[in-house]
Amino acid sequence: MSDHHHDHGHHPHPISDVQARARALESLLRDKGLLTPGAVDTLVSAYEQDIGPLNGAKVVARAWTDPDYKQRLLEEGSGAIRELGFGGLQGEHMVVVENTPEVHNVVVCTLCSCYPWPVLGLPPVWYKSAPYRSRVVREPRAVLAEFGTELGDDVAIRVWDSSAEIRYLVLPERPAGTEHLSEEELAGLVTRDAMIGVQKVEAPA
């Protein structure tokens, strides 16, 4: 079973004024020897894998430990996320969808790379790739298996299509055996890929 929630409100393909200025500034700094390609790659990697996803992990951990917060998060994602100080550009309207034993959610942007920057940072290369964007809609179970996520036939898969108007964030299932962990320790378990929905959160060894 696969439900595809599609929204055609994507931003146009031409780059924005902000993107154009950023590229021009990067080019100028490189020409003057003030910035190296390696430094840019390091910074991008940090925002993709560390800085941004840490925000989302804090949101997930709070939802796992505070039922009232979880309810607010599922009812009005952007507002609840702002309670923890996260919001702004590319996160004006964020919707949170919850994974359960019966339903697994996964997020895509089929036309471009819309992504909830305030809680996940910059989108990974694979998220922006044409194969992922097309295949996860047609064959989500197979794509998830390629990420190491094997789901039973009794688990429904819902594919959510992010757009310029709405960015989706997955609230992963809390792994069993983590009842003794603090909120901070739980946040340390949550990965970017789990909040996109291509993987599950693993309990600590």
Side-chain angles (χ1 to χ4, degrees):
M1 176 180 176
S2 173
D3 299 323
H4 179 209
H5 299 257
H6 193 92
D7 189 322
H8 290 281
H10 292 258
H11 53 68
H13 289 291
I15 65 172
S16 67
D17 289 343
V18 172
Q19 289 172 312
R21 290 198 297 270
R23 291 183 183 180
L25 178 59
E26 180 183 336
S27 177
L28 178 64
L29 292 173
R30 283 182 175 178
D31 290 345
K32 291 183 176 294
L34 300 175
L35 186 67
T36 65
V40 174
D41 293 341
T42 299
L43 184 61
V44 168
S45 177
Y47 272 91
E48 280 183 3
Q49 301 179 37
D50 299 317
I51 300 170
L54 284 177
N55 294 345
K58 292 175 182 177
V59 171
V60 170
R62 177 64 58 85
W64 283 348
T65 57
D66 184 338
D68 291 337
Y69 179 77
K70 176 182 175 180
Q71 182 175 351
R72 295 196 300 276
L73 184 67
L74 295 175
E75 290 177 352
E76 211 291 291
S78 297
I81 290 169
R82 280 195 298 270
E83 290 180 28
L84 300 189
F86 311 130
L89 185 66
Q90 308 297 325
E92 294 86 352
H93 187 189
M94 292 180 283
V95 173
V96 178
V97 291
E98 181 185 12
N99 281 353
T100 69
E102 295 78 29
V103 177
H104 186 91
N105 299 282
V106 61
V107 179
V108 67
C109 176
T110 55
L111 294 184
C112 43
S113 57
C114 296
Y115 195 72
W117 290 8
V119 286
L120 289 185
L122 301 176
V125 172
W126 59 261
Y127 181 87
K128 299 181 285 185
S129 70
Y132 175 77
R133 285 159 39 203
S134 60
R135 289 186 58 228
V136 76
V137 174
R138 298 195 316 269
E139 46 182 354
R141 201 173 296 273
V143 172
L144 291 175
E146 292 169 12
F147 280 92
T149 303
E150 301 279 355
L151 299 173
D153 292 338
D154 58 335
V155 178
I157 301 175
R158 293 179 180 167
V159 180
W160 300 86
D161 194 359
S162 282
S163 72
E165 284 73 36
I166 300 176
R167 315 293 170 105
Y168 293 99
L169 176 73
V170 173
L171 174 60
E173 288 184 81
R174 179 173 177 169
T178 59
E179 295 78 10
H180 63 291
L181 298 182
S182 67
E183 185 174 322
E184 183 178 0
E185 290 170 327
L186 287 169
L189 302 178
V190 182
T191 65
R192 174 198 66 195
D193 290 357
M195 293 181 283
I196 297 174
V198 294
Q199 292 185 339
K200 291 189 172 186
V201 176
E202 299 292 336

